[in-house]
Amino acid sequence: MEQARMYRISVLLILVFMVAGIFLGILCILAFSAAPIVSIMLFTCSFFTIGSSIYLWRKRNEGKEFYWDAEGIVVDLNGNKVYWDEIEDIQFFKNSASSFSKSTVIYPHYTNHEKIRIRHKKWMPKTAHSIDWILIEKPKEYHKNLMQAWEEKKNLPK
């Protein structure tokens, strides 16, 4: 199986975070004389959103992308993979409470949780790895192509 297309971090998300942070920063300055406590909270939110946009921009410039290859699927921006033979299922997940929280969820077999935890250098094992659609430029295409690759991988004789 050849490497599929690389799916980059969404520029739209980076711009939304940056604009929201700048807007909250302006509100912080305007609210300072009237309500200093509110101004401090707005500054914290502004700092967080601008920081998030800078973090995502740096990851995008570093070439951190979501993809899969013959080994497995990259599940985070650190380049950590879950190997094909460790995966039990891949599913689409949509939260009914909010319309923008869609994701592709990769469920490794329970016997592989500890092995994945050690390889990813985490303190606690994860039972599922969620790839949020809001992070990816073309999420529907990503999910469709990943599901096709997963079906091919499942149907290969071992």
Side-chain angles (χ1 to χ4, degrees):
M1 176 183 292
E2 77 282 345
Q3 180 174 330
R5 182 179 167 328
M6 305 283 263
Y7 293 89
R8 301 181 75 187
I9 297 171
S10 174
V11 175
L12 180 62
L13 177 66
I14 294 169
L15 290 176
V16 166
F17 276 3
M18 185 60 72
V19 169
I22 291 169
F23 179 71
L24 289 171
I26 291 169
L27 283 178
C28 167
I29 293 168
L30 295 175
F32 187 71
S33 62
I37 300 297
V38 173
S39 181
I40 291 170
M41 290 188 314
L42 288 174
F43 175 76
T44 305
C45 293
S46 171
F47 184 75
F48 174 75
T49 55
I50 290 174
S52 297
S53 70
I54 292 170
Y55 170 78
L56 291 172
W57 184 256
R58 289 183 67 203
K59 288 294 184 179
R60 182 180 167 92
N61 286 341
E62 289 173 7
K64 301 294 183 184
E65 299 168 331
F66 292 97
Y67 66 93
W68 59 90
D69 56 15
E71 261 186 349
I73 305 169
V74 173
V75 292
D76 60 17
L77 293 175
N78 295 326
N80 292 324
K81 281 187 181 179
V82 174
Y83 299 129
W84 290 112
D85 60 343
E86 298 172 335
I87 298 173
E88 184 174 17
D89 195 16
I90 300 175
Q91 293 181 1
F92 168 75
F93 176 77
K94 180 180 179 192
N95 187 349
S96 60
S98 99
S99 61
F100 64 86
S101 62
K102 298 175 184 173
S103 60
T104 299
V105 183
I106 300 162
Y107 296 99
H109 194 269
Y110 73 93
T111 58
N112 298 314
H113 290 178
E114 188 64 17
K115 186 172 27 171
I116 295 169
R117 180 195 70 81
I118 292 167
R119 188 172 62 243
H120 292 186
K121 297 180 177 99
K122 300 289 182 183
W123 284 22
M124 296 291 291
K126 291 176 78 175
T127 59
H129 301 272
S130 177
I131 301 170
D132 296 322
W133 281 21
I134 196 167
L135 287 174
I136 303 173
E137 278 187 339
K138 296 182 179 178
K140 288 180 182 178
E141 178 185 314
Y142 172 82
H143 183 77
K144 184 180 123 206
N145 292 339
L146 178 61
M147 292 306 291
Q148 287 174 352
W150 171 238
E151 289 300 322
E152 289 173 16
K153 206 63 169 160
K154 278 195 320 188
N155 295 333
L156 287 178
K158 293 185 179 182

